[in-house]
Amino acid sequence: MGDSAYSFSLTTFSRTGKLLQIEYALNAVANGRTSLGICAADGVVIATDKKLSSTLVDTDQVCKVEKITKGSGFVYSGVGPDYRVLVRKARKSSQAYYRQYMEDKPVSQLVKTTAGVMQEYTQSGGVRPFGVSLLVAGVDGDGTPRLYQVDPSGAYFGWKATAIGKNYVNAKNFLEKRYQDDMELEDAIHTALLTLREGFEGEMTNKNIEVGVVSKSDGEFRLLSPEQIQDYLDEAN
């Protein structure tokens, strides 16, 4: 009896020590649109491809980069509805933290809480793992910019720069060549757009990508407007 006999059970390990449903969830992530993040010396940038299957869809109604607290934000690759659930839970836990301590939840705590939710869904009956990986950008309590990746298994990692989704292997290779420890936020935004363009299908415009940044100077997470994104695209050309 091979591993396939265990493929429909989330809570049963296969003989080789794998939980196959988690591996299938990672396949769902790998089929999603490319997202990436870069942690610079003075801030963090996260960016994603949000190209849609039809030109009739109102792109203003599609949001892949979400603000969670004043100083942190999420982006995902994978299954969109699953992402909405995690965003809602993260905002709710952040608000509870604020009511108790009267300060925003540090990004490291936010990541641990979200990873804990995702891990619960890997050892409970009657549920399935979340079909998303997250990139979390934010500033910690001491003002240090942070970039984390959270996977469907509940594992999380801190990164200097990383990519998830369909073209993540090539994107990571591109980032490895371009990344520098003393990189500033403006350079990181340009590098993020260049990396997205490497594997982009068709023309990249300010309507089919999203960019979120958090700066060390003010600690505020914000989404770049289409006009700001266009300015960066024009500079890149």
Side-chain angles (χ1 to χ4, degrees):
M1 189 165 63
D3 277 1
S4 60
Y6 301 91
S7 64
F8 292 105
S9 172
L10 170 61
T11 55
T12 306
F13 284 99
S14 72
R15 288 199 216 178
T16 54
K18 296 176 181 177
L19 289 170
L20 293 173
Q21 285 297 311
I22 293 175
E23 294 194 2
Y24 298 158
L26 287 168
N27 289 342
V29 173
N31 290 331
R33 295 284 180 185
T34 306
S35 301
L36 58 93
I38 302 173
C39 187
D42 58 343
V44 188
V45 56
I46 50 177
T48 186
D49 165 3
K50 70 166 189 177
K51 193 175 180 188
L52 300 164
S53 56
S54 171
T55 55
L56 299 177
V57 177
D58 183 359
T59 55
D60 293 337
Q61 302 296 317
V62 180
C63 297
K64 291 186 68 179
V65 178
E66 295 279 5
K67 186 174 184 176
I68 306 299
T69 68
K70 177 184 171 185
S72 62
F74 285 1
V75 69
Y76 80 100
S77 288
V79 182
D82 288 12
Y83 175 61
R84 288 202 306 270
V85 173
L86 290 170
V87 166
R88 189 179 71 245
K89 286 178 180 288
R91 285 174 173 162
K92 193 172 181 179
S93 73
S94 298
Q95 194 63 32
Y97 185 97
Y98 185 84
R99 288 191 64 184
Q100 185 167 358
Y101 299 107
M102 296 309 293
E103 62 179 32
D104 286 326
K105 193 171 191 175
V107 67
S108 55
Q109 292 291 320
L110 180 63
V111 166
K112 286 177 184 177
T113 304
T114 304
V117 170
M118 294 174 83
Q119 195 279 331
E120 280 180 31
Y121 279 71
T122 67
Q123 60 176 139
S124 304
V127 298
R128 63 164 175 78
F130 287 95
V132 293
S133 282
L134 304 176
L135 294 181
V136 184
V139 176
D140 246 339
D142 60 356
T144 309
R146 301 284 187 194
L147 172 67
Y148 293 93
Q149 177 180 334
V150 190
D151 284 336
S153 63
Y156 62 92
F157 315 91
W159 290 85
K160 295 177 180 178
T162 191
I164 54 176
K166 192 176 289 183
N167 195 41
Y168 80 97
V169 175
N170 292 334
K172 273 189 179 180
N173 289 337
F174 190 84
L175 287 169
E176 284 173 6
K177 293 172 186 172
R178 292 268 181 164
Y179 181 81
Q180 295 174 330
D181 286 329
D182 59 352
M183 181 181 279
E184 294 186 352
L185 187 56
E186 287 294 304
D187 296 330
I189 294 170
H190 286 295
T191 302
L193 294 179
L194 285 171
T195 307
L196 269 184
R197 181 173 279 166
E198 278 293 296
F200 205 85
E201 298 169 7
E203 184 186 1
M204 196 166 84
T205 70
N206 61 359
K207 295 290 188 184
N208 56 21
I209 61 171
E210 273 187 48
V211 182
V213 296
V214 57
S215 173
K216 187 177 179 179
S217 58
D218 59 8
E220 287 264 359
F221 183 87
R222 67 185 193 281
L223 270 72
L224 296 188
S225 67
E227 294 75 23
Q228 289 172 311
I229 292 173
Q230 189 59 53
D231 289 342
Y232 283 112
L233 289 173
D234 291 342
E235 287 176 29
N237 292 331

